[in-house]
Amino acid sequence: MESKNRLGYCEVCNNDVAKYCCPRCEVKTCSLSCVNIHKKELECDGKKYKTGFKRLENFTDAEMSQDYRLMNEFIEAVGEFKMKTQRICNLSPVFRRLRYQAYQRNIRLQILPKSTLNKNNTSFFNHKINKIFWRIDWTFHGTDVKYTTHKVPEYQKINNIVRDYFTTEFHDDETKEKMQFYVSAGIKGVIFLMKTPYGKYYQLDSEDSILYSLRYKTILEYPEILIVLSIHKDTFSDLLYIENSTFNNNKSTIMT
């Protein structure tokens, strides 16, 4: 009986045994009506404090996981702030249009005027056909092989863009040796990871178009994609990132 009454009696009505404990103010209640009364009287929203103090002896893996998620939210918020406060007057008309059109496609594009990345950025928006053409860097993990593709149409699929990289005929003799495992594995034997501004990676689907792959993601200047053999994917399991987006994630709404 004692285990059943571990919360004691309801602190609102004081008549029945408490069944719930508020994660925010820790008031014990017995029913929904008492929960609502306590929220109204104490002006409590029932949400747990993200930054509440916790003694070390009471610190659990759950709190550790929560703190980790909170840090990621802070990092993303800082990135959002930098993007929103970036001075438009420092951008050329080409990059103003590019960033605006990226935003229209639910892509968070960060432009750094006068930076090395910006000088290398050849991405642009073609207003005549209403399409973005991207510069994309491709790096093969575990090698020093890196390729850059320019003027990549946003509607093109990833697997079609990189198909030639997985053939021996494409590479010179020196690069063939470095790429032998990738050529042997083929596109289906690798994963595609795009860099985030937060030091992590978004995992992409090679069957998706560039447009869909970039939606609801934050990009610094242009996509930088790391190609990794599937047998090594566990190496990056802790580095994968999912954007905390306010956009409506609906694949059927993609522009064509």
Side-chain angles (χ1 to χ4, degrees):
M1 185 68 178
E2 184 179 350
S3 60
K4 293 183 179 180
N5 294 344
R6 62 187 180 84
L7 296 179
Y9 282 91
C10 176
E11 296 178 8
V12 175
C13 68
N14 203 32
N15 292 327
D16 295 320
V17 174
K19 299 178 182 178
Y20 316 104
C21 179
C22 177
R24 189 173 187 88
C25 63
E26 298 185 352
V27 168
K28 281 74 173 178
T29 52
C30 65
S31 62
L32 179 59
S33 60
C34 287
V35 169
N36 292 334
I37 291 172
H38 115 266
K39 285 185 176 181
K40 183 177 181 180
E41 291 183 350
L42 299 181
E43 297 183 351
C44 174
D45 59 9
K47 295 180 180 179
K48 186 176 181 180
Y49 282 110
K50 290 186 177 181
T51 56
F53 175 76
K54 199 81 171 182
R55 291 187 177 277
L56 185 59
E57 58 267 23
N58 298 327
F59 198 74
T60 65
D61 290 342
E63 275 78 25
M64 176 72 77
S65 178
Q66 178 178 307
D67 285 355
Y68 181 76
R69 289 194 298 270
L70 183 61
M71 289 175 62
N72 276 336
E73 290 177 12
F74 285 155
I75 293 172
E76 183 178 345
V78 170
E80 285 288 311
F81 177 78
K82 288 181 178 179
M83 182 178 67
K84 290 179 180 178
T85 57
Q86 192 178 74
R87 296 184 63 185
I88 298 297
C89 61
N90 288 336
L91 296 181
S92 68
V94 171
F95 287 121
R96 289 185 199 177
R97 286 193 295 269
L98 177 62
R99 193 170 72 164
Y100 174 75
Q101 291 298 328
Y103 178 79
Q104 292 295 101
R105 291 158 170 76
N106 297 336
I107 301 170
R108 296 181 174 95
L109 177 61
Q110 297 181 358
I111 304 292
L112 301 178
K114 300 180 181 179
S115 68
T116 302
L117 279 175
N118 185 241
K119 292 178 181 178
N120 293 334
N121 192 354
T122 56
S123 304
F124 65 94
F125 171 71
N126 187 323
H127 69 278
K128 292 183 179 179
I129 58 176
N130 193 32
K131 301 294 181 186
I132 292 178
F133 292 80
W134 292 97
R135 170 201 167 120
I136 304 178
D137 284 355
W138 311 89
T139 302
F140 289 83
H141 175 250
T143 75
D144 59 357
V145 178
K146 180 178 180 180
Y147 291 109
T148 298
T149 48
H150 299 276
K151 299 181 180 180
V152 179
E154 61 184 349
Y155 51 80
Q156 195 165 0
K157 291 185 177 181
I158 291 176
N159 54 13
N160 290 331
I161 302 169
V162 301
R163 193 176 304 280
D164 288 344
Y165 299 156
F166 291 85
T167 63
T168 54
E169 295 78 15
F170 181 84
H171 309 286
D172 57 36
D173 292 337
E174 182 180 353
T175 309
K176 280 181 183 178
E177 184 176 353
K178 300 175 182 178
M179 290 291 294
Q180 58 181 324
F181 294 110
Y182 285 95
V183 172
S184 177
I187 295 177
K188 293 185 177 180
V190 301
I191 59 173
F192 295 84
L193 305 176
M194 185 174 71
K195 283 186 179 180
T196 75
Y198 320 123
K200 294 201 170 190
Y201 296 90
Y202 303 111
Q203 184 166 350
L204 309 180
D205 188 337
S206 64
E207 295 291 332
D208 288 331
S209 67
I210 292 298
L211 173 59
Y212 183 73
S213 297
L214 301 187
R215 296 180 80 214
Y216 316 115
K217 297 178 178 66
T218 303
I219 306 169
L220 185 60
E221 291 289 348
Y222 51 83
E224 296 181 84
I225 298 177
L226 181 66
I227 303 175
V228 181
L229 291 169
S230 295
I231 58 175
H232 296 149
K233 65 181 180 180
D234 290 343
T235 307
F236 294 86
S237 59
D238 293 333
L239 295 175
L240 298 183
Y241 184 78
I242 299 177
E243 194 84 39
N244 182 17
S245 174
T246 57
F247 292 122
N248 178 26
N249 190 356
N250 186 348
K251 199 166 185 174
S252 64
T253 63
I254 296 178
M255 298 174 56
T256 57

